[in-house]
Amino acid sequence: LSPDGVILDSTGFLVSSAAYPQYDPNIASDGTGYLVIWNDERRLGFDDVYGMRFDHNGRRLDPIPFLVEQTWFHSCGLPPVVTYGAGNYLAVWVGADMEYEIRAARISRGGVVLDTPSVLVASVGFGVSMPGVGSDGTNYLLAWGETGQGQDFDISGRRVSSSGQVLDTAAIHISTAEMDQSCPSIAFDGRNYLVVWTDGRNGTDCDVYGARVTPDGIVL
C-alpha cells in the first residue's frame, strides 16, 4: 500500500509455502525494507519462528525463509511480534518449557540472527498472553500479560538493550488492576512508550487501557 492508500500489489505475493501451517505473521520496517516473522509448523508438532525480508518493492531479499529459532517447545499458539530499533530488529515470542517463557532474538538488517540461542527475557509460572514490543531507538521494551496460580492476568514488562541484554532484574509492573489485562501493544513517540492492552477491570465487557512508560522503565 502506498502512503496514499493505493494497493500496489493487487494479487499479493507469496511469503512462505512450506509444508504444514504457517500463521500469525507480524511485520516491522527498518525504513527501507521489511521483516516478516511468523509461527511455522513445517516440523509437525512444533511452532518454530521463521522470517523473511522484503525490499520496498516487495521483492524477496532472502532466497528462502530463514529460521529465527527452532524450538523444542510449543509456542502456545501465540503470535510472535517484531520491531525495529537501535540498528537491528527484535523478534519476541512465547515458549514453554517447565514454565512459560518470553524469549527474544535480535535480527540484523541483513537477515542474520544475532542471538543463538535466543534471550530468555522472563519465566512466567502459570499463564501468559501474547507479547508486545517497541523500541526507543536505543533499547527495546517488551510487555506481556501474565498470571500466577489462581490469579488474574497483569501486564508486566522488561527492557532489553541493543546488545541483547535484559536490563531489568525484576519485571516492570505496568498494570496490576483487578480482573484480567492481556495482549499488550507498544509504540514510542520520541519521548515515552505507550503500552495499551485489553482490560477486564470493569466487569464482563473488555475495555482498552493504556499507560505511558519512560525509556528508563518508569510507569507514568
Side-chain angles (χ1 to χ4, degrees):
L1 292 169
S2 75
D4 296 326
V6 177
I7 298 174
L8 303 176
D9 304 294
S10 59
T11 60
F13 51 82
L14 185 64
V15 175
S16 177
S17 62
Y20 304 112
Q22 294 94 59
Y23 57 97
D24 291 334
N26 198 259
I27 189 169
S29 175
D30 63 3
T32 62
Y34 311 92
L35 172 64
V36 183
I37 66 170
W38 62 88
N39 281 329
D40 195 301
E41 286 191 14
R42 65 185 68 191
R43 287 196 310 144
L44 187 60
F46 294 89
D47 279 344
D48 299 327
V49 181
Y50 272 77
M52 171 69 78
R53 295 174 305 131
F54 294 87
D55 70 10
H56 67 281
N57 288 315
R59 293 188 294 249
R60 290 184 177 209
L61 295 175
D62 303 295
I64 60 173
F66 62 86
L67 179 68
V68 177
E69 181 157 275
Q70 187 176 74
T71 65
W72 56 271
F73 46 72
H74 196 275
S75 75
C76 314
L78 298 173
V81 292
V82 64
T83 194
Y84 179 80
N88 292 302
Y89 294 97
L90 186 72
V92 182
W93 63 92
V94 175
D97 183 8
M98 299 300 292
E99 296 183 311
Y100 293 103
E101 297 174 342
I102 305 296
R103 306 199 69 95
R106 293 168 302 141
I107 302 169
S108 74
R109 296 176 69 180
V112 178
V113 180
L114 302 176
D115 300 300
T116 54
S118 59
V119 177
L120 175 60
V121 178
S123 294
V124 181
F126 295 96
V128 65
S129 79
M130 65 174 287
V133 63
S135 175
D136 61 12
T138 301
N139 299 311
Y140 308 94
L141 176 65
L142 287 63
W144 58 90
E146 67 172 74
T147 179
Q149 188 172 21
Q151 299 175 353
D152 296 329
F153 277 84
D154 296 324
I155 301 296
S156 298
R158 273 194 170 105
R159 294 170 301 139
V160 172
S161 74
S162 60
S163 61
Q165 301 298 310
V166 179
L167 296 175
D168 303 293
T169 55
I172 303 167
H173 299 298
I174 298 172
S175 177
T176 58
E178 293 184 359
M179 306 302 288
D180 290 331
Q181 294 92 54
S182 62
C183 302
S185 186
I186 304 174
F188 186 76
D189 71 349
R191 179 176 297 180
N192 294 303
Y193 294 99
L194 179 63
V195 185
V196 295
W197 60 87
T198 301
D199 195 301
R201 72 182 69 183
N202 292 322
T204 56
D205 293 330
C206 284
D207 299 320
V208 176
Y209 273 74
R212 292 170 302 143
V213 180
T214 72
D216 295 325
I218 299 170
V219 180
L220 299 175

